[in-house]
Amino acid sequence: MGLSESMKVLADPVRRQIIEKLKSGPKTAGEIADSFELTNATVSYHLKLLKKAGFIAEMKDKNFIYYSLNSTVFEDILTWIYQVGGKKHDE
Amino acid sequence: MGLSESMKVLADPVRRQIIEKLKSGPKTAGEIADSFELTNATVSYHLKLLKKAGFIAEMKDKNFIYYSLNSTVFEDILTWIYQVGGKKHDE
DNA sequence: AATCTATTTAGAAATATTTCTAAATAGATT
DNA sequence: AATCTATTTAGAAATATTTCTAAATAGATT
């Protein structure tokens, strides 16, 4: 919810890679886990943090859980960076 | 240097507050430390991380060390967020 | 209803981070 | 040169994070 939580979540490379993977559309927890050399349990832990921070949403279907990207949450971070003096993206 | 380091550095509220404080111009390590209920040693530790990640620069004068903001480093983070689907700041 | 499949939860171990106190540094003043 | 002042560094303690293995859940298939 807060900026610390959002940024902490994005600070981990595994979690950023999960987000990048979801850019191409929803994926099951298993599909996501397959792209890492980590156990499903560990990936599940990262998915939980991403979900808690609002970066992804989950949707159950059969015994699969699909995760998808929720890009609106990035707004707060952008706002903070602008406020602090980051340049405009296209200048 | 990398995105993980930058974001990890920004994930801490003390370090974000230091950055915000420096928006109004350079400050000495002591001035910065005074605004927190932390020892100077602890604030010095945070300043070291901020400097290492390139968010701030230091400048020695007499026995003071002045820290100032270097906003250019925020670019990489903005770029990553845009790439991942954050909305434009002014839309 | 038994079992299979996908995924999460619990708990432990390893590692990293934050904070402190005490000592060190280094330049300025007496 | 002795001392003061601002700040950092070293090392320890407390806390948080990441990962794993093993067990639990819960819906689907047989």
Side-chain angles (χ1 to χ4, degrees), chain A residues 32-51:
Chain A
I32 295 166
D34 285 349
S35 44
F36 294 97
E37 303 222 308
L38 296 169
T39 62
N40 283 24
T42 298
V43 173
S44 181
Y45 158 79
H46 287 298
L47 290 169
K48 185 171 72 181
L49 297 190
L50 282 162
K51 193 175 62 173

Side-chain angles (χ1 to χ4, degrees), chain A residues 31-85:
Chain A
E31 286 171 323
I32 295 166
D34 285 349
S35 44
F36 294 97
E37 303 222 308
L38 296 169
T39 62
N40 283 24
T42 298
V43 173
S44 181
Y45 158 79
H46 287 298
L47 290 169
K48 185 171 72 181
L49 297 190
L50 282 162
K51 193 175 62 173
K52 184 150 162 276
F55 290 112
I56 63 176
E58 86 180 23
M59 192 265 193
K60 286 175 192 166
D61 180 33
K62 301 198 172 179
N63 51 353
F64 293 91
I65 301 180
Y66 283 89
Y67 283 101
S68 59
L69 201 55
N70 174 18
S71 54
T72 60
V73 198
F74 294 93
E75 265 298 291
D76 289 349
I77 298 176
L78 290 182
T79 302
W80 187 82
I81 293 176
Y82 278 115
Q83 171 246 314
V84 113

Side-chain angles (χ1 to χ4, degrees), chain B residues 1-46:
Chain B
M1 289 262 144
L3 214 44
S4 290
E5 191 196 5
S6 310
M7 292 209 175
K8 206 180 292 177
V9 165
L10 295 184
D12 184 276
V14 169
R15 291 191 290 265
R16 284 202 311 283
Q17 277 173 261
I18 290 172
I19 286 174
E20 282 163 11
K21 207 149 291 278
L22 291 176
K23 270 186 68 185
S24 61
K27 307 258 174 301
T28 66
E31 286 171 325
I32 296 166
D34 284 351
S35 44
F36 295 97
E37 302 223 309
L38 295 169
T39 61
N40 284 22
T42 298
V43 173
S44 181
Y45 158 79
H46 287 298

Side-chain angles (χ1 to χ4, degrees), chain B residues 28-30 41 44 63 65 67:
Chain B
T28 66
S44 181
N63 49 352
I65 301 181
Y67 283 100

